Amino acid sequence: MYLWLMKQPIRNIAILAHVDAGKTTLSERILFAAGEIHRPGRVEDGLATMDYMPEEKERGITIESGVAHFEWKNTWFNFIDTPGHVDFGAEVDMALTAVEGAVLVVSAASGVETQTVASFRKLRESRVRTILFVNKLDNPDYSLDETLINIEETLGVRPVLMSVPQFKNGKMHAVLDVLSQSRLVHSESGAEVLDDGWESDAGSAEERALLKKYYAEAVEFASNFDDEILSLALENKPVPPKMLLRGLKALAASDEYVICYAGSALEGFGVRSIVTALSFFLPEVPTFGENELGQVVRLRHFRGIGEISLFRSHVDLLRRDWPAGFEFSRLKANMLLPVDEIRSGDIYAMRSPFETELGQVIYLDGRGMRDESSMGDAAGTSLRAEGEAIYEAAGDAAENAAGTAAPSISENYLPLLQTRVECVRTEDYAHVERSLSVLARMDPSFRVQKDDGGFWYLHTVGEVQLDVLLARLKREFGCEVRAGSPEVRWQERLCREVGPAENTFQIGPHKMSISISASPLEGDAHDIRLSAEFMESAPREILAGVRSALLESTEVGVLGKGPLVGVRFEVHRFEWTEGALPPMIKKCCVDAVAKLVKPADVQLYEPVMELSLECPVNFAGLVTGDIQAREGKVKEIEGDGKTHFLKADVPLRKIFGYATGVRSISKGTALYSMKLLGYRPASV
């Protein structure tokens, strides 16, 4: 079929939530409502369609952003189910670069939680149109009204409710759709359908009155964005649904309000309404640059297939016009289904004749240009610093320009743990190294540091990410490695200015000599800066050698417990003979830094986590006592008589194995989340 005969609108959407809010369950129900699957899989049973990885099925959490496709009301949707666990936040960031809209799931059982707030902030910063879904209302003990108040108070937006669950004998049996003024019930197959017998229902009058109330509220809110609606409202004249929809579209694009639906993903109520809302309230795909084939938004690796790129097309193109060596497919779980054309704004699995990188723009002639500003450094096992090296060859202007650059995804996720791994068999060394390189390219929050002793340090955000990476290393790449226990990745900072230090290095006719000093940056800056007069005229290979040496020296640190951060290096003199190779220059500089910075010159800083926890009140004392025993400082305590809420600052080194500990203390009833609060001078 020709492209111009199938020009249906395209919408790319993501679904976000706190862990256990029901995000993947809602994803399954959406695919079921759209007819993509015959029955929704349950996360608890390990049968969720979009959680295809064994680690996802085992843990019951989303790890990789799953992609599915479906049609609804003549609109083609690419649907991305993102992880809710904090260890995989970079997956969420990458997904948001490729979508026009998102569903943010809020559990009525727990209200707005830590990751709910973090996800909403990401969506606002990315300017992604957001629709809320209040989930788990099949339990009559959970209050929709209290959840709506919680949303307004915590997220700072006014939710405009567009669907209302209805109960009979303590069970949800229907949902009222505000915009269409109708009631949705389950058919014999379990699908949501319009209730044709609503008129004769004894309770229909009460439900219609409730619909009239919420319709009037929607008109009131929409009148702030549409003069015609305002005029009719002031004259007490009815506002037709099509006109209200127009006003709600403008409302949905504002920062003060958010369209909100409610129901139960597990029971399949409220799903049809929110899918219809996705076709109503999301913006069109943007206009892309000329001569662009598209952009790589995700990298994946399948055993037996190899590496593929999730690719957002920027152009309509038939197979015959694709660049040589390129193939495009639909990705369904872990299956590739070939296609014969690609459409602008649509998402495909791509295989290319060369190795791609996250954020890379591919042109129509098959050339690739890396987008460093959006995706950051995607190096594999090469050494990376906690911040990019910023050159100051041209003085303060260069420093200020570099300092205002937008942070990359990798810079938003500082690794908090480091784990030593080594090969079980020496002959596997090259294969393990290549496999680690691929995994590091796929996840910008995961970094690898190679040691000259023949092993590697894996730098991860948390323990769950580490466990998953080790499992994938074995399952997908067939690598047998021996991993040590994870250790906290501290930060080292200079206490004072040091140097200058002199160093000379010579191999055969090649001789290099350097004089270098260092000083701490102000505040909590963690980048590595370099100033040197010679940089204005130095050859590129010289600059590459110096940069590589500084990043390697700072990444390893002085005490070996973490990176040296927040440093300005100044090269006073650098002399070299013509023909010197970068490894020689690198060796000269690394030795100079070792002479320059001694253990007595640095102060250790440890990561501190903010722990948010809720549990039944009868476990409050035990849970609080355990936190204090871990050197935690409780800073907020709340409660409603049934549930105890607290926030505490706890050193990361004391929080290892907390999941098991708090589960034992609270008999499995406590829920918690953690995020990095910052670093403080270490007391150990």
Side-chain angles (χ1 to χ4, degrees):
M1 182 178 292
Y2 291 105
L3 286 165
W4 53 83
L5 294 179
M6 48 178 298
K7 273 286 191 180
Q8 61 184 159
I10 294 173
R11 297 293 182 269
N12 299 303
I13 57 174
I15 183 164
L16 293 79
H18 190 90
V19 175
D20 292 332
K23 171 179 53 62
T24 300
T25 303
L26 179 60
S27 301
E28 294 291 310
R29 279 291 179 175
I30 288 176
L31 294 177
F32 175 68
E36 280 296 306
I37 56 177
H38 297 298
R39 73 180 186 90
R42 289 172 57 92
V43 175
E44 295 83 353
D45 300 332
L47 298 175
T49 305
M50 299 186 72
D51 285 350
Y52 71 94
M53 293 173 58
E55 292 78 21
E56 293 175 315
K57 296 179 182 294
E58 178 184 343
R59 294 173 180 270
I61 62 172
T62 301
I63 294 170
E64 278 196 341
S65 297
V67 180
H69 317 278
F70 65 89
E71 291 183 77
W72 186 265
K73 293 189 178 296
N74 197 39
T75 299
W76 177 260
F77 287 95
N78 293 301
F79 188 46
I80 303 177
D81 179 17
T82 64
H85 196 284
V86 67
D87 279 14
F88 306 101
E91 281 281 339
V92 180
D93 290 353
M94 289 188 292
L96 295 187
T97 65
V99 300
E100 288 74 53
V103 177
L104 179 60
V105 183
V106 179
S107 168
S110 307
V112 176
E113 301 176 88
T114 307
Q115 281 301 107
T116 318
V117 175
S119 296
F120 188 72
R121 187 178 299 119
K122 288 176 188 286
L123 291 166
R124 281 295 192 252
E125 291 173 352
S126 303
R127 308 305 301 172
V128 173
R129 189 76 53 84
T130 305
I131 298 173
L132 297 186
F133 183 77
V134 179
N135 193 26
K136 300 191 177 183
L137 287 169
D138 50 296
N139 188 327
D141 292 335
Y142 301 151
S143 169
L144 173 59
D145 290 338
E146 289 181 7
T147 305
L148 294 175
I149 293 171
N150 182 223
I151 288 170
E152 186 169 4
E153 291 178 346
T154 309
L155 299 183
V157 291
R158 182 69 180 266
V160 181
L161 190 64
M162 300 303 295
S163 66
V164 189
Q166 296 297 289
F167 297 86
K168 180 182 289 186
N169 299 324
K171 290 187 177 182
M172 188 182 298
H173 76 104
V175 167
L176 304 179
D177 186 88
V178 174
L179 188 60
S180 65
Q181 295 282 282
S182 60
R183 183 169 76 169
L184 299 172
V185 295
H186 278 176
S187 67
E188 292 183 0
S189 65
E192 278 188 291
V193 295
L194 291 175
D195 186 1
D196 296 330
W198 190 26
E199 293 289 347
S200 59
D201 194 300
S204 64
E206 182 179 341
E207 290 177 344
R208 289 189 183 281
L210 190 62
L211 272 177
K212 185 176 180 180
K213 168 194 169 185
Y214 283 108
Y215 193 92
E217 284 188 3
V219 168
E220 179 185 350
F221 295 138
S223 68
N224 294 317
F225 301 89
D226 191 296
D227 291 341
E228 191 174 359
I229 294 177
L230 177 61
S231 177
L232 290 175
L234 291 175
E235 297 174 7
N236 289 321
K237 294 182 179 179
V239 175
K242 284 188 177 180
M243 186 182 297
L244 176 57
L245 176 60
R246 185 184 68 202
L248 290 175
K249 285 182 178 179
L251 175 148
S254 72
D255 291 331
E256 296 82 21
Y257 297 87
V258 63
I259 301 293
C260 182
Y261 289 80
S264 167
L266 184 62
E267 298 297 328
F269 283 107
V271 178
R272 176 168 171 160
S273 294
I274 197 168
V275 178
T276 302
L278 292 172
S279 62
F280 284 157
F281 297 117
L282 301 190
E284 297 180 356
V285 295
T287 301
F288 302 104
E290 293 184 6
N291 300 319
E292 292 179 357
L293 183 65
Q295 186 174 30
V296 177
V297 298
R298 186 76 179 85
L299 296 175
R300 282 194 176 175
H301 184 277
F302 296 104
R303 194 168 188 177
I305 297 177
E307 185 177 305
I308 65 166
S309 307
L310 287 187
F311 180 82
R312 191 183 197 191
S313 175
H314 290 181
V315 67
D316 296 336
L317 213 59
L318 294 170
R319 172 184 285 273
R320 64 175 181 240
D321 300 318
W322 294 350
F326 283 79
E327 286 291 330
F328 298 93
S329 306
R330 291 289 184 198
L331 180 64
K332 190 170 185 179
N334 59 348
M335 296 185 296
L336 297 178
L337 308 176
V339 299
D340 291 322
E341 65 258 332
I342 58 175
R343 295 189 55 209
S344 180
D346 212 343
I347 296 177
Y348 303 90
M350 180 186 76
R351 302 191 72 177
S352 62
F354 54 83
E355 194 175 74
T356 61
E357 297 182 356
L358 288 170
Q360 186 174 27
V361 175
I362 309 295
Y363 289 94
L364 289 173
D365 60 5
R367 291 183 300 112
M369 184 186 75
R370 182 177 165 199
D371 180 12
E372 296 187 18
S373 63
S374 64
M375 303 307 294
D377 188 358
T381 54
S382 63
L383 297 167
R384 300 165 69 179
E386 295 295 290
E388 283 297 314
I390 299 176
Y391 298 119
E392 303 176 5
D396 293 338
E399 177 180 342
N400 294 336
T404 58
S408 67
I409 289 179
S410 62
E411 289 176 327
N412 289 332
Y413 294 90
L414 298 181
L416 300 178
L417 302 180
Q418 60 183 22
T419 307
R420 173 175 162 162
V421 297
E422 59 186 5
C423 296
V424 173
R425 297 182 297 270
T426 307
E427 59 269 24
D428 292 342
Y429 182 87
H431 176 56
V432 173
E433 186 167 55
R434 286 193 301 270
S435 302
L436 287 173
S437 176
V438 172
L439 286 172
R441 289 176 54 249
M442 292 169 62
D443 185 350
S445 67
F446 166 55
R447 307 174 190 178
V448 182
Q449 176 188 328
K450 181 180 178 181
D451 190 274
D452 292 337
F455 54 87
W456 303 268
Y457 283 106
L458 309 188
H459 300 163
T460 56
V461 174
E463 290 178 274
V464 175
Q465 183 190 27
L466 172 64
D467 291 344
V468 169
L469 285 167
L470 291 173
R472 293 184 65 184
L473 195 61
K474 181 177 181 178
R475 175 177 56 84
E476 294 180 23
F477 299 90
C479 294
E480 294 288 343
V481 298
R482 187 180 297 110
S485 300
E487 299 176 347
V488 173
R489 187 164 164 79
W490 308 65
Q491 284 188 353
E492 300 176 4
R493 289 183 177 272
L494 281 178
C495 304
R496 61 187 73 85
E497 292 186 15
V498 291
E502 306 276 344
N503 187 59
T504 300
F505 178 75
Q506 183 171 359
I507 294 182
H510 299 295
K511 182 178 180 180
M512 286 134 284
S513 179
I514 187 172
S515 174
I516 187 172
S517 62
S519 59
L521 296 177
E522 295 182 358
D524 59 355
H526 61 264
D527 48 303
I528 308 301
R529 301 186 182 181
L530 171 64
S531 61
E533 293 182 2
F534 83 93
M535 292 175 59
E536 295 181 354
S537 57
R540 183 175 179 180
E541 60 270 18
I542 299 298
L543 297 180
V546 173
R547 179 184 188 275
S548 178
L550 291 178
L551 292 184
E552 178 171 328
S553 298
T554 55
E555 182 75 1
V556 174
V558 179
L559 303 176
K561 289 183 173 291
L564 177 65
V565 301
V567 181
R568 175 184 283 106
F569 289 101
E570 183 174 359
V571 177
H572 306 283
R573 176 180 53 81
F574 190 80
E575 299 173 350
W576 68 93
T577 56
E578 187 175 350
L581 298 175
M584 302 176 189
I585 299 165
K586 181 177 172 182
K587 173 65 174 174
C588 180
C589 294
V590 167
D591 291 346
V593 173
K595 289 182 179 181
L596 176 68
V597 185
K598 301 298 183 184
D601 298 322
V602 299
Q603 165 73 54
L604 273 178
Y605 284 72
E606 68 173 332
V608 178
M609 310 302 290
E610 182 181 73
L611 173 69
S612 300
L613 182 143
E614 60 181 82
C615 66
V617 291
N618 52 311
F619 295 110
L622 292 173
V623 168
T624 303
D626 178 65
I627 290 173
Q628 292 173 337
R630 296 174 182 267
E631 300 181 18
K633 180 180 179 181
V634 178
K635 58 183 182 181
E636 291 183 26
I637 296 179
E638 295 179 3
D640 58 7
K642 295 182 179 179
T643 306
H644 179 72
F645 305 91
L646 66 79
K647 283 188 177 182
D649 298 343
V650 188
L652 178 61
R653 59 184 166 83
K654 288 290 187 177
I655 213 74
F656 279 110
Y658 187 66
T660 302
V662 75
R663 189 183 302 119
S664 174
I665 292 172
S666 67
K667 300 189 184 302
T669 59
L671 298 174
Y672 76 94
S673 62
M674 288 187 289
K675 67 178 182 180
L676 178 65
L677 187 66
Y679 288 80
R680 70 182 183 192
S683 57
V684 295

